[in-house]
C-alpha cells in the first residue's frame, strides 16, 4: 500500500513557470498588461480559433459566454445534468432558465436526441460539456442549433487539446469555454478563457469582463486618453498579467502533458480489461480525448459491492479517488428552486451512482500509475 495519498489531480510547476511569474512581478503590469493578449493569442492559435478572451475563472468565462449569447429572463438554455454546477449556474446568472437533457450512456455527454426533445420556442442556447475531456457530439448539436437559431457554448473546461473528428475543441462551437484551475491541463491558479471565431462575440466578451467599458486602461494610457465609456453592465472578471504569464509558460508544455495523460489512460484501460465489475470509460472512434479525469464505473451487481464501498476501499489504499459529478439537478439549490426529486434524468443519475474518478495528472510517476492499478485490482477482487 502507498505511504501517502495520491491526489486525483494536481498541477506541475517547473522553474521556467516560476521565472515567468517573477519576471512579471518585476514589470510595470500586474493586471491587464501585455501578457493577457499574449496568452489569448497563444491559446487561440493552439485551439485554432480566431479570438480568445481571458477571464478570471472558467465560471466567469461561462458567465461571459451566457451574456454574449444574449441569454435573458424568459430564455432557456439546455445543458447536461452530469457536470459541475457552474455550467448551469451561468444561465441563472443571466436570469434565464437552465433546462437539462439526459446524456448518452457511453460517453455521458449530452445526447443530441434527448436535446432535440427539450427544445422549445424559448430555447436560446445549448451548453454541451466535454465530460472528462471526451468531446461532446458537436455535429448533430450544431445542426439542431442552426435549425432553431441557438447559440452553442461548449463547456470545454475538461477538454483543452481534445479533438473531435479531426477538429480541435475550441474551434468548433460558437463559443468554447476553458478553465485553468490547478487540476486542469494548463494551470494559472484561477483562470478561464472563451474562444470564438466571431468578432462580435469577442468584443462583447471583452466588454463584459471589464465592467462593460469599451476600452482598457492600458490602451488608454498608451494613447494618452483619459476618457472611457461604460456601455453595458459588466463585471471585473479580468485575468491578471501574473496569471497569464504562468498560463503562457504552462501552455508550452501542453503537448507533453496530453501525451502523458493519454499514456496513463491507455495503461488504466489495459489494466481494467482483466478486472471484473469495474468498467473503463468508453471512447468513440472519431475523437481524441484530453483525459482531464479518468472516470471508471462500478458494476455493483457483478462486484457485489456498491460504489461507496469501492470508493472507501480505494481511499484506504491512499488512492485519492473522486466523483464527477453529482448531477446538477439533484443539488439542494436546484431541487428547492425547480422542484426536482430525482428520476428525471435516469442515465445521468444511474451513471452517477457508479462513477469513480481515478487519479489523472501529467506529473504522475510510473509508480503512481502502478499503485492505482494494483489498488483497483485488489479492491475489485476483495
Ligand atoms: C465542466 C466544468 N465547467 C466549469 C468549471 C468552472 O471552472 P473554474 O473552476 O475555473 O471556475 C469547471 C471547473 O472545475 C468544470 O469542470
Amino acid at each position: 500500500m502507498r505511504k501517502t495519498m495520491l491526489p486525483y489531480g494536481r498541477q506541475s510547476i517547473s522553474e521556467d513557470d516560476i521565472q515567468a511569474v517573477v519576471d512579471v512581478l518585476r514589470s510595470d503590469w500586474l493586471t491587464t498588461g501585455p501578457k493577457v493578449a499574449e496568452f489569448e493569442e497563444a491559446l487561440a492559435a493552439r485551439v485554432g480559433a480566431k479570438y480568445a478572451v481571458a477571464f478570471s475563472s472558467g465560471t466567469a468565462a461561462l458567465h461571459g459566454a451566457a451574456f454574449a449569447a444574449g441569454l435573458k429572463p424568459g430564455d432557456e438554455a439546455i445543458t447536461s445534468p452530469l457536470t459541475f454546477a457552474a455550467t448551469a449556474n451561468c444561465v441563472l446568472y443571466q436570469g434565464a432558465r437552465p433546462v437539462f437533457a439526459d446524456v448518452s450512456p457511453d460517453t455521458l455527454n449530452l445526447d443530441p436526441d434527448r436535446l432535440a426533445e427539450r427544445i422549445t420556442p424559448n430555447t436560446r442556447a445549448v451548453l454541451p460539456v466535454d465530460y472528462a475531456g471526451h468531446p461532446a457530439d458537436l455535429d448533430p448539436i450544431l445542426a439542431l442549433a442552426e435549425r432553431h437559431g441557438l447559440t452553442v457554448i461548449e463547456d470545454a473546461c475538461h477538454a483543452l487539446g481534445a479533438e473531435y473528428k479531426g477538429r480541435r475543441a475550441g474551434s468548433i462551437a460558437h463559443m468554447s469555454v476553458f478553465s485553468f484551475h490547478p487540476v486542469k491541463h494548463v494551470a494559472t491558479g484561477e483562470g478561464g478563457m472563451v474562444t470564438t471565431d466571431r468578432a462580435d462575440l469577442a468584443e462583447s466578451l471583452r466588454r463584459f469582463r471589464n465592467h462593460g467599458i469599451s476600452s482598457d486602461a492600458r490602451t488608454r494610457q498608451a494613447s494618452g486618453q483619459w476618457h472611457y465609456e461604460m456601455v453595458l453592465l459588466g463585471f471585473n472578471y479580468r485575468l491578471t498579467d501574473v496569471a497569464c504569464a504562468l498560463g503562457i509558460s504552462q501552455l508550452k508544455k501542453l503537448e507533453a502533458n496530453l501525451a502523458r495523460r493519454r499514456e496513463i489512460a491507455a495503461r488504466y484501460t489495459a489494466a481494467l480489461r482483466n478486472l471484473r465489475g469495474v468498467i473503463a470509460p468508453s471512447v468513440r472512434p472519431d475523437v481524441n480525448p484530453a483525459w482531464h479525469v479518468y472516470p471508471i464505473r462500478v458494476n455493483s451487481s457483478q462486484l457485489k459491492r456498491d460504489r461507496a464501498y469501492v470508493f472507501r476501499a480505494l481511499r484506504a489504499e491512499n488512492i485519492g479517488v473522486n466523483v464527477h459529478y453529482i448531477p446538477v439537478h439533484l443539488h439542494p439549490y436546484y431541487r428547492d428552486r425547480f422542484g426536482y426529486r430525482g428520476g428525471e434524468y435516469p442515465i445521468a443519475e444511474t451513471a452517477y451512482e457508479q462513477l469513480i474518478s481515478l487519479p489523472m495528472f501529467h506529473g504522475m510517476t510510473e509508480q503512481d500509475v502502478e499503485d492505482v492499478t494494483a489498488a483497483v485490482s485488489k479492491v475489485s477482487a476483495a
Side-chain angles (χ1 to χ4, degrees):
M1 185 183 128
R2 283 180 66 88
K3 291 210 167 55
T4 56
M5 183 67 81
L6 178 67
Y8 91 91
R10 118 171 269 282
Q11 74 278 13
S12 294
I13 300 291
S14 48
E15 279 309 313
D16 52 334
D17 295 322
I18 293 167
Q19 194 53 50
V21 170
V22 168
D23 290 347
V24 166
L25 292 174
R26 295 207 166 96
S27 80
D28 287 342
W29 295 96
L30 285 188
T31 190
T32 319
K35 293 294 171 193
V36 179
E38 198 181 322
F39 187 32
E40 289 173 338
E41 280 159 27
L43 195 105
R46 175 59 183 80
V47 305
K50 279 200 186 130
Y51 308 98
V53 181
F55 278 81
S56 52
S57 69
T59 303
L62 280 165
H63 189 185
F67 169 82
L71 283 180
K72 59 181 188 324
D75 291 340
E76 295 173 0
I78 305 172
T79 190
S80 162
L82 202 69
T83 184
F84 186 54
T87 320
N89 290 349
C90 74
V91 177
L92 291 175
Y93 297 157
Q94 285 301 109
R97 183 184 177 96
V99 171
F100 301 101
D102 214 342
V103 295
S104 302
D106 60 339
T107 59
L108 306 182
N109 279 330
L110 190 62
D111 182 333
D113 294 333
R114 300 286 85 75
L115 166 65
E117 292 164 5
R118 306 289 284 159
I119 295 172
T120 73
N122 296 327
T123 310
R124 200 177 177 100
V126 188
L127 295 103
V129 179
D130 302 323
Y131 176 72
H134 185 300
D137 197 2
L138 291 172
D139 278 350
I141 293 172
L142 283 161
L144 278 170
E146 173 87 35
R147 200 171 319 137
H148 296 275
L150 315 177
T151 302
V152 179
I153 302 166
E154 177 184 0
D155 184 336
C157 287
H158 294 186
L160 183 58
E163 285 162 33
Y164 172 76
K165 300 186 182 175
R167 290 170 285 160
R168 299 179 211 165
S171 69
I172 309 168
H174 302 128
M175 287 180 272
S176 305
V177 176
F178 296 95
S179 161
F180 309 122
H181 179 277
V183 295
K184 303 295 196 302
H185 298 74
V186 163
T188 62
E190 301 291 351
M193 193 86 80
V194 184
T195 60
T196 181
D197 278 349
R198 276 181 43 189
D200 60 326
L201 294 176
E203 182 60 24
S204 182
L205 290 160
R206 280 197 196 101
R207 287 176 176 180
F208 187 73
R209 77 163 170 203
N210 189 29
H211 307 281
I213 292 172
S214 54
S215 60
D216 70 52
R218 185 161 162 260
T219 318
R220 287 197 297 279
Q221 182 167 316
S223 61
Q225 290 236 359
W226 59 268
H227 182 261
Y228 64 84
E229 286 181 334
M230 187 198 125
V231 293
L232 54 88
L233 186 62
F235 289 77
N236 177 355
Y237 277 161
R238 298 184 301 254
L239 189 59
T240 66
D241 253 39
V242 179
C244 288
L246 181 56
I248 294 162
S249 181
Q250 287 261 299
L251 191 57
K252 292 180 184 148
K253 290 167 272 196
L254 177 63
E255 305 318 317
N257 173 341
L258 286 163
R260 179 66 181 141
R261 284 174 186 258
R262 287 172 180 149
E263 206 171 78
I264 296 166
R267 291 273 303 280
Y268 283 166
T269 303
L272 290 172
R273 207 167 284 140
N274 307 319
L275 301 183
R276 182 181 49 95
V278 277
I279 305 153
S282 41
V283 177
R284 293 206 178 159
D286 52 5
V287 307
N288 192 5
W291 294 114
H292 163 53
V293 291
Y294 187 94
I296 61 169
R297 279 191 255 183
V298 174
N299 181 335
S300 43
S301 52
Q302 225 177 37
L303 209 55
K304 310 260 186 304
R305 308 276 197 184
D306 63 6
R307 188 262 310 271
Y309 169 87
V310 178
F311 185 92
R312 277 195 306 272
L314 288 171
R315 281 280 176 103
E317 294 289 326
N318 270 338
I319 306 299
V321 284
N322 209 328
V323 171
H324 296 90
Y325 286 97
I326 299 167
V328 180
H329 66 289
L330 299 183
H331 284 297
Y333 181 85
Y334 278 82
R335 284 180 189 262
D336 293 349
R337 183 159 169 184
F338 298 104
Y340 293 113
R341 291 161 181 275
E344 290 87 358
Y345 305 103
I347 300 173
E349 291 173 30
T350 304
Y352 161 61
E353 297 292 338
Q354 303 170 332
L355 285 165
I356 294 183
S357 301
L358 299 183
M360 170 59 83
F361 54 98
H362 45 291
M364 282 176 74
T365 64
E366 284 307 292
Q367 188 60 53
D368 292 336
V369 178
E370 267 170 42
D371 290 345
V372 175
T373 55
V376 175
S377 164
K378 179 173 165 188
V379 169
S380 71

